[in-house]
Amino acid sequence: MNHPDLLPKLLSMPDVQSAPDHRELAIDQVGIRGLRYPLPIADRDGVQSTIADCSVFVQLPADRKGTHMSRLVELLEERAAPGAEPIGVATLRTLVDALVSRLDAPGGRLELAFPFFVRKTAPVSGIPSLLDYQAKLVGELDEGRYTQTIAVAVPVTSLCPSSKEISEYGAHNQRSVITITARTREPMFIADLLRVAEEEASSELFGILKRADEKFVTERAYDNPRFVEDLVRGVAARLDADPRLDAFVVEAENFESIHNHSAFARIARRM
Amino acid sequence: MNHPDLLPKLLSMPDVQSAPDHRELAIDQVGIRGLRYPLPIADRDGVQSTIADCSVFVQLPADRKGTHMSRLVELLEERAAPGAEPIGVATLRTLVDALVSRLDAPGGRLELAFPFFVRKTAPVSGIPSLLDYQAKLVGELDEGRYTQTIAVAVPVTSLCPSSKEISEYGAHNQRSVITITARTREPMFIADLLRVAEEEASSELFGILKRADEKFVTERAYDNPRFVEDLVRGVAARLDADPRLDAFVVEAENFESIHNHSAFARIARRM
Amino acid sequence: MNHPDLLPKLLSMPDVQSAPDHRELAIDQVGIRGLRYPLPIADRDGVQSTIADCSVFVQLPADRKGTHMSRLVELLEERAAPGAEPIGVATLRTLVDALVSRLDAPGGRLELAFPFFVRKTAPVSGIPSLLDYQAKLVGELDEGRYTQTIAVAVPVTSLCPSSKEISEYGAHNQRSVITITARTREPMFIADLLRVAEEEASSELFGILKRADEKFVTERAYDNPRFVEDLVRGVAARLDADPRLDAFVVEAENFESIHNHSAFARIARRM
Amino acid sequence: MNHPDLLPKLLSMPDVQSAPDHRELAIDQVGIRGLRYPLPIADRDGVQSTIADCSVFVQLPADRKGTHMSRLVELLEERAAPGAEPIGVATLRTLVDALVSRLDAPGGRLELAFPFFVRKTAPVSGIPSLLDYQAKLVGELDEGRYTQTIAVAVPVTSLCPSSKEISEYGAHNQRSVITITARTREPMFIADLLRVAEEEASSELFGILKRADEKFVTERAYDNPRFVEDLVRGVAARLDADPRLDAFVVEAENFESIHNHSAFARIARRM
């Protein structure tokens, strides 16, 4: 299906994107979004293959009409090739540097959102299973300054302290998602960051639980009631004390078992 | 922005859709999908304004190249006009009849999916609030035979019987969604159908619950533990005994508070 | 199902949320999210019934354990009652003021996201039909200062200037969504804001187009090619010149017809 | 965090799921849904790591109260282990057999939905890039009879024949998704099935296109206009003639560039 004979003729085609633009408006971000690519991700426990939803943007000066979108995909195509170096919190910057230099851009931004897995062992039976988290790495170069954020959405159990207190027995509980977005001063593993959320919840989750484990997590949650307010305060207090972080946002959403809406809380620090 | 002067010339434009097609393949459904339209819906408690996600399809004979999509939208535009007659389980057929007759089609199908609200009163305080359900009405004419289905997704609380039994205190519970899809022999209100699901759950949900109500629903759920299997069996047993129904599917999905996946069950009868 | 006899006993139940919290961490936002409520919205062309996805948050001081979630729903329940005053850009603040005062909170934030409809007339045939947009109103009180933003996502056609220039015939085009988020100094109708996006696109969209209209919009788009960069620059230039706006973000996403990913651009000013 | 000392005591806990149920209603499907697991998938071009959204169900006899959900996850955990045998159209049945036998169930059903990638070469420049498709494998054992379906959603370009015919220049085109669901008599690669859809469209898509390629696909689409009706007829005619298939459904959805809704068509044969 290739037509290399057409190539010389086509290479002389007008390059509309490189023409000047007369509105004199610089663009903060221009590029591609919603590109799914399989990528190897390196983290605390080794390398895992995942499938990332990728956004790749550059800044565009006021006098340039357009950017070259195909080069943005090429950057990821190289990293998806067999044997390519995995991407991780310690190496993301090399990708952003390559982006800005190849596109000859004043700045650039890369966002990779992907399912991230941790193999956990059930609390009593010790049976292993994977748990999935939604993670996001963002690297940005703006006016020569590089910033990097790690975000991870952590599913947990929350059990309502008020319901426990006022009821003769039982207490409503539900699945919650705690999302931590952290601007890091030094590399910090995704697998470590998500543990903070799990430890502050009424209980953490597991893929496989045998009856003995189910008893354990049920009682653990009842012993550790947490409002949505408690979830964000507990996580924020620990992140505040962590010298590896510059700034953070912590959000918690409880998919209430007694309502058809969520309870939500958010604490932001320097972000 | 109208250009009526162009109209005579344009009306003589070729009508490609009406040309014959030579592959000799009839099409089961052709039309529009994903059209949002505000529509009045009539049900047990009166008329409510909702916003429907509409699909409107006709059957296309083997010898016709295409259908006239704009006429499908016109059908809904008429029903969205101020003062238009509301749509409900008892009147859906008139829309399907109009569809088939205007498009001169051998058959047709209309699907309206929309949020549906019921004003409920909290179990102890009696405070009113709305609860939202996702409903769907489908009417279809095929070989002269009309069938109609009503579907409603009902959010409820489920509390795990096993967790209650094996734990010294507490029991994991969560939000579940019970979906009933019913092919009806005679009109049946959405508001009545969804009650079957609410009554078979560990507890129904409310928009507003004061502390006294929260105690009530917490204890009610603990007193009525239900596996996902129990939810579908309880609903199926009642629908099976209802002479207004020809066929049904009942599905239940528990957004497990101790896992990051759902428990799911399904019973279908004659569907 | 009401049990008023239980009420006196229950009213003496402990109010855990009002207890003090000892972590000394104020919470930026706490409340409810994902609550669907039918609400009347007032805008340029009158009042329309819509269904909003509502978030209602308050700020929580460091010394208070929790907020009273049910009061947040009550605020919307009142506005959904028959005959209630519609909500619009000019009256949103009254809701935010009520929120902060009833919850005795230092600040609060209300977000209403909803489908918004405009009845348009086809460019040649003049046939009327509704077009749906996704709109969002946000009002926030923080340290006594009120800010309000209007956001609207506008579906349009974009036609690629490069594809037109290099191809002997045709040009790839596609549906795009231009999203304008504006912090306003004075009230500005949603229906007016979205027109800016429609006028800067290759073509605007319509629900119903007859053949004459289809010819018109096809040729209009070919006559007005726009890169994703042009879409955001065109809109930004006009918003920049509008004295009613304090700050804005304009984003455009092209669901490329020749790729399985989007082209995207973004310009932010003072936001 | 393991507590093996508790194990003996816990193993004597009541097994509520194994108790009898008295409603005498068999359940068609009960199990787990929405479980994300990383799995290796084997297809025409080798093995690729993907992340599947998994549903695993068994049939439950009328006299059994519940199923053992944890065993369903264990089945996938084994296949996600390093070095595990990949899953593919030729080996899916072994998983369904294991499911039914381990759960001692009269029947079972496995659904794996996942992103699937094909490395394509741009039509003129020959530059390689990956394209993502959404694929789904379903295997079911019912009354001792095994059926298997392969589904794949294929993004393509469609260009409107009517718009081309009536317009002096240009023609509206857009991204479409053609979905093929095939019940196969003998194994058939996903990579082969999706080509049928790509060959029947106005043009196929690519991740990376240089200017010469963009000219090529723009002109190719203009040379091959297709209504949504043509897309399903073209694909159906070819699937009808393929002896490897027992039954199929083909659906096409055009995300119209001139409307904010989709055009849709569907042909089903023996399904």
Side-chain angles (χ1 to χ4, degrees):
Chain A
M1 194 161 174
N2 285 21
H3 299 259
D5 47 320
L6 294 177
L7 208 44
K9 186 181 151 206
L10 290 165
L11 287 178
S12 65
M13 289 185 305
D15 177 1
V16 183
Q17 285 90 339
S18 297
D21 191 86
H22 302 293
R23 269 164 304 203
E24 310 219 325
L25 272 167
I27 295 180
D28 301 300
Q29 296 176 3
V30 56
I32 55 173
R33 183 196 242 189
L35 179 77
R36 289 203 293 187
Y37 244 78
L39 291 170
I41 297 287
D43 201 73
R44 190 191 66 195
D45 305 331
V47 175
Q48 56 182 272
S49 289
T50 193
I51 292 172
D53 183 324
C54 310
S55 296
V56 192
F57 306 132
V58 289
Q59 295 175 4
L60 193 72
D63 63 357
R64 223 187 291 171
K65 188 155 183 61
T67 194
H68 290 88
M69 303 281 184
S70 62
R71 296 183 196 169
L72 305 175
V73 184
E74 284 171 333
L75 204 74
L76 297 169
E77 170 68 16
E78 292 168 15
R79 291 312 193 90
E85 196 200 346
I87 298 167
V89 292
T91 61
L92 185 69
R93 180 169 187 163
T94 62
L95 257 174
V96 181
D97 285 338
L99 164 66
V100 165
S101 119
R102 288 195 204 178
L103 275 288
D104 186 25
R109 180 181 174 94
L110 179 69
E111 303 180 4
L112 303 175
F114 50 87
F116 178 83
F117 291 87
V118 174
R119 181 155 278 119
K120 306 176 73 167
T121 56
V124 180
S125 69
I127 292 178
S129 63
L130 291 171
L131 195 70
D132 63 311
Y133 306 82
Q134 194 61 26
K136 189 172 187 179
L137 297 180
V138 179
E140 182 162 23
L141 255 172
D142 181 26
E143 303 190 351
R145 188 165 159 268
Y146 180 73
T147 50
Q148 183 167 312
T149 57
I150 311 171
V152 62
V154 186
V156 298
T157 306
S158 65
L159 185 139
C160 178
S162 171
S163 171
K164 174 180 173 178
E165 177 73 23
I166 63 182
S167 306
E168 315 237 333
Y169 39 81
H172 77 81
N173 53 76
Q174 53 268 319
R175 203 187 298 162
S176 302
V177 173
I178 300 174
T179 303
I180 301 174
T181 305
R183 196 165 68 225
T184 50
R185 198 169 282 154
E186 50 186 289
M188 196 177 167
F189 288 123
I190 300 167
D192 290 334
L193 192 61
L194 65 87
R195 280 306 292 166
V196 179
E198 292 190 330
E199 290 168 6
E200 294 299 321
S202 294
S203 176
E204 63 181 303
L205 305 190
F206 298 89
I208 296 177
L209 292 173
K210 292 297 184 181
R211 274 200 303 287
D213 305 308
E214 188 175 355
K215 173 181 165 61
F216 182 90
V217 298
T218 299
E219 294 172 357
R220 189 191 188 287
Y222 195 83
D223 287 335
N224 291 279
R226 293 280 188 280
F227 282 126
V228 73
E229 292 93 337
D230 295 319
L231 297 177
V232 294
R233 277 175 166 149
V235 173
R238 290 184 50 182
L239 298 181
D240 234 354
D242 193 318
R244 290 171 296 181
L245 302 183
D246 251 345
F248 65 85
V249 177
V250 53
E251 298 171 308
E253 178 165 9
N254 293 1
F255 303 97
E256 300 284 292
S257 63
I258 60 170
H259 296 300
N260 198 25
H261 59 262
S262 296
F264 176 83
R266 181 180 201 268
I267 292 178
R269 286 294 175 266
R270 295 172 296 284
M271 223 172 169
Chain B
M1 197 163 170
N2 284 21
H3 299 259
D5 47 320
L6 293 177
L7 209 44
K9 186 182 151 206
L10 290 164
L11 287 177
S12 66
M13 288 186 305
D15 177 0
V16 183
Q17 284 92 337
S18 297
D21 191 86
H22 302 293
R23 267 163 306 201
E24 310 218 326
L25 272 166
I27 295 180
D28 300 301
Q29 295 176 1
V30 57
I32 54 171
R33 184 195 239 187
L35 177 77
R36 288 203 292 187
Y37 244 79
L39 291 171
I41 297 286
D43 202 71
R44 192 192 63 195
D45 304 334
V47 176
Q48 55 182 274
S49 289
T50 191
I51 291 172
D53 183 323
C54 310
S55 297
V56 192
F57 306 132
V58 288
Q59 295 175 5
L60 193 72
D63 62 359
R64 223 186 293 169
K65 189 155 183 61
T67 195
H68 291 87
M69 303 282 184
S70 62
R71 297 184 195 168
L72 306 174
V73 184
E74 285 170 332
L75 205 72
L76 298 169
E77 170 67 16
E78 292 168 15
R79 292 310 193 91
E85 196 201 346
I87 299 168
V89 292
T91 61
L92 185 68
R93 180 168 186 165
T94 61
L95 257 174
V96 182
D97 284 338
L99 164 66
V100 165
S101 118
R102 287 195 205 178
L103 274 289
D104 186 25
R109 180 182 173 95
L110 178 71
E111 303 180 3
L112 304 176
F114 50 88
F116 178 84
F117 291 86
V118 174
R119 180 155 278 119
K120 306 175 74 168
T121 55
V124 181
S125 69
I127 292 178
S129 62
L130 291 171
L131 195 70
D132 63 313
Y133 306 82
Q134 194 62 23
K136 189 173 185 178
L137 297 180
V138 180
E140 182 162 22
L141 255 173
D142 183 26
E143 303 191 351
R145 189 166 158 267
Y146 180 73
T147 50
Q148 183 168 312
T149 58
I150 311 170
V152 62
V154 186
V156 298
T157 307
S158 66
L159 184 138
C160 179
S162 172
S163 171
K164 174 180 173 178
E165 177 74 24
I166 62 182
S167 305
E168 316 238 333
Y169 40 80
H172 77 81
N173 53 75
Q174 53 267 321
R175 203 189 298 162
S176 302
V177 173
I178 300 176
T179 304
I180 300 175
T181 305
R183 195 165 69 227
T184 50
R185 199 170 282 154
E186 50 185 290
M188 196 178 165
F189 288 124
I190 301 167
D192 289 334
L193 193 60
L194 65 86
R195 279 305 292 167
V196 179
E198 292 190 330
E199 289 168 8
E200 294 298 321
S202 295
S203 176
E204 62 182 301
L205 307 189
F206 298 89
I208 297 178
L209 292 172
K210 292 297 183 181
R211 274 201 304 286
D213 305 307
E214 187 174 357
K215 173 182 165 61
F216 182 89
V217 297
T218 299
E219 294 172 358
R220 188 191 189 289
Y222 195 81
D223 288 335
N224 290 278
R226 293 282 187 278
F227 282 126
V228 73
E229 292 93 337
D230 296 318
L231 296 178
V232 294
R233 277 176 166 147
V235 173
R238 289 184 51 181
L239 298 182
D240 234 355
D242 193 319
R244 291 171 295 180
L245 303 183
D246 251 344
F248 66 84
V249 177
V250 53
E251 298 172 307
E253 178 164 9
N254 293 1
F255 302 97
E256 299 284 292
S257 63
I258 61 171
H259 296 300
N260 198 24
H261 58 263
S262 296
F264 176 83
R266 180 180 202 269
I267 291 178
R269 287 295 176 264
R270 295 174 295 285
M271 223 173 171
Chain C
M1 197 164 170
N2 283 21
H3 299 258
D5 48 319
L6 294 177
L7 209 45
K9 188 182 150 206
L10 290 165
L11 287 179
S12 66
M13 289 185 304
D15 177 1
V16 183
Q17 284 91 339
S18 297
D21 191 87
H22 302 292
R23 269 163 304 203
E24 311 219 324
L25 271 166
I27 295 181
D28 301 301
Q29 297 175 2
V30 57
I32 55 171
R33 183 196 242 189
L35 178 77
R36 288 203 293 188
Y37 243 78
L39 292 170
I41 296 287
D43 203 71
R44 192 192 61 195
D45 305 332
V47 176
Q48 56 182 273
S49 289
T50 192
I51 292 172
D53 183 324
C54 311
S55 297
V56 192
F57 306 131
V58 289
Q59 295 176 4
L60 193 72
D63 63 359
R64 223 187 292 170
K65 189 153 182 63
T67 194
H68 289 88
M69 303 282 183
S70 62
R71 297 183 196 169
L72 305 174
V73 184
E74 285 170 332
L75 204 72
L76 296 170
E77 170 67 17
E78 292 167 16
R79 292 311 193 93
E85 197 200 346
I87 299 168
V89 292
T91 62
L92 186 67
R93 180 166 188 166
T94 62
L95 257 174
V96 182
D97 284 338
L99 164 66
V100 166
S101 120
R102 288 196 203 178
L103 274 289
D104 186 25
R109 180 182 173 94
L110 178 70
E111 303 180 4
L112 304 176
F114 50 89
F116 178 83
F117 291 87
V118 174
R119 181 155 277 119
K120 306 175 73 167
T121 55
V124 180
S125 69
I127 292 179
S129 63
L130 290 171
L131 194 70
D132 64 311
Y133 305 82
Q134 194 62 25
K136 190 173 186 177
L137 297 181
V138 179
E140 183 162 22
L141 255 172
D142 182 24
E143 304 190 351
R145 188 166 157 267
Y146 181 73
T147 50
Q148 184 167 312
T149 58
I150 311 170
V152 61
V154 185
V156 298
T157 307
S158 65
L159 184 139
C160 178
S162 172
S163 172
K164 174 180 174 178
E165 176 75 23
I166 63 182
S167 305
E168 316 239 333
Y169 40 79
H172 78 81
N173 52 76
Q174 53 267 319
R175 203 187 298 162
S176 301
V177 173
I178 300 175
T179 304
I180 300 174
T181 305
R183 195 165 69 225
T184 50
R185 198 169 282 154
E186 50 185 290
M188 196 178 166
F189 288 123
I190 300 168
D192 290 333
L193 193 60
L194 66 86
R195 279 306 292 167
V196 179
E198 293 190 328
E199 290 168 5
E200 294 298 320
S202 295
S203 175
E204 62 182 302
L205 306 190
F206 298 89
I208 296 178
L209 292 172
K210 292 296 183 181
R211 276 201 302 287
D213 304 307
E214 187 175 356
K215 172 181 164 63
F216 182 89
V217 297
T218 299
E219 294 173 358
R220 189 192 188 288
Y222 196 81
D223 287 335
N224 290 279
R226 294 282 187 278
F227 282 126
V228 73
E229 291 93 336
D230 295 319
L231 297 177
V232 293
R233 277 175 166 148
V235 173
R238 289 184 50 182
L239 298 181
D240 235 354
D242 193 319
R244 292 171 295 181
L245 303 183
D246 249 345
F248 66 85
V249 177
V250 53
E251 297 172 308
E253 178 164 9
N254 294 0
F255 302 98
E256 299 284 292
S257 62
I258 60 170
H259 296 299
N260 198 25
H261 59 262
S262 296
F264 177 82
R266 180 181 203 268
I267 292 178
R269 286 294 175 266
R270 296 174 295 286
M271 221 172 172
Chain D
M1 195 162 171
N2 285 19
H3 299 259
D5 47 321
L6 294 177
L7 208 44
K9 185 181 151 207
L10 291 165
L11 287 178
S12 66
M13 289 186 303
D15 177 0
V16 182
Q17 285 92 341
S18 298
D21 191 87
H22 303 293
R23 269 162 305 201
E24 310 219 325
L25 272 167
I27 294 180
D28 300 300
Q29 297 176 2
V30 57
I32 55 171
R33 185 196 240 187
L35 178 77
R36 287 203 293 187
Y37 243 79
L39 291 170
I41 297 286
D43 202 73
R44 192 190 64 195
D45 305 332
V47 176
Q48 55 182 274
S49 290
T50 191
I51 292 172
D53 183 322
C54 309
S55 296
V56 193
F57 306 133
V58 289
Q59 295 175 5
L60 193 72
D63 63 359
R64 223 186 290 170
K65 189 155 182 62
T67 195
H68 290 88
M69 302 282 185
S70 62
R71 295 183 196 168
L72 305 174
V73 183
E74 285 171 332
L75 205 73
L76 296 170
E77 170 68 16
E78 292 168 16
R79 293 311 194 90
E85 196 199 347
I87 298 168
V89 290
T91 61
L92 185 68
R93 180 168 186 164
T94 62
L95 257 173
V96 181
D97 284 339
L99 164 66
V100 165
S101 119
R102 287 194 204 181
L103 275 288
D104 186 26
R109 180 182 173 95
L110 178 70
E111 302 180 4
L112 303 176
F114 49 88
F116 178 83
F117 290 87
V118 174
R119 182 155 278 119
K120 305 175 75 168
T121 55
V124 180
S125 69
I127 291 178
S129 62
L130 291 170
L131 194 70
D132 64 312
Y133 306 82
Q134 195 62 24
K136 189 173 187 177
L137 297 180
V138 179
E140 182 162 23
L141 254 173
D142 182 25
E143 303 192 351
R145 188 166 158 269
Y146 180 73
T147 50
Q148 184 167 311
T149 57
I150 311 171
V152 62
V154 186
V156 298
T157 307
S158 64
L159 184 139
C160 179
S162 172
S163 171
K164 175 180 172 178
E165 177 74 23
I166 62 182
S167 305
E168 316 239 333
Y169 40 80
H172 77 81
N173 53 75
Q174 52 267 319
R175 204 189 296 164
S176 301
V177 173
I178 300 175
T179 304
I180 300 174
T181 305
R183 194 164 71 226
T184 50
R185 199 169 282 154
E186 50 185 291
M188 198 177 165
F189 287 123
I190 300 166
D192 290 334
L193 192 61
L194 66 87
R195 280 305 292 166
V196 178
E198 292 190 328
E199 290 168 7
E200 294 298 321
S202 295
S203 176
E204 63 182 301
L205 306 189
F206 298 89
I208 297 177
L209 292 171
K210 292 298 185 179
R211 275 201 302 287
D213 304 307
E214 188 175 356
K215 172 181 165 64
F216 182 89
V217 298
T218 299
E219 294 173 358
R220 189 191 188 288
Y222 195 82
D223 288 335
N224 292 279
R226 294 282 188 279
F227 282 126
V228 73
E229 291 93 336
D230 295 319
L231 297 177
V232 293
R233 277 176 166 149
V235 173
R238 289 184 51 182
L239 298 181
D240 234 354
D242 193 319
R244 291 170 296 181
L245 303 184
D246 250 344
F248 65 85
V249 177
V250 53
E251 298 171 308
E253 178 165 8
N254 293 1
F255 303 97
E256 300 284 293
S257 62
I258 60 170
H259 295 300
N260 199 25
H261 59 262
S262 296
F264 177 82
R266 181 181 201 266
I267 291 179
R269 288 293 176 265
R270 296 174 295 285
M271 224 173 170

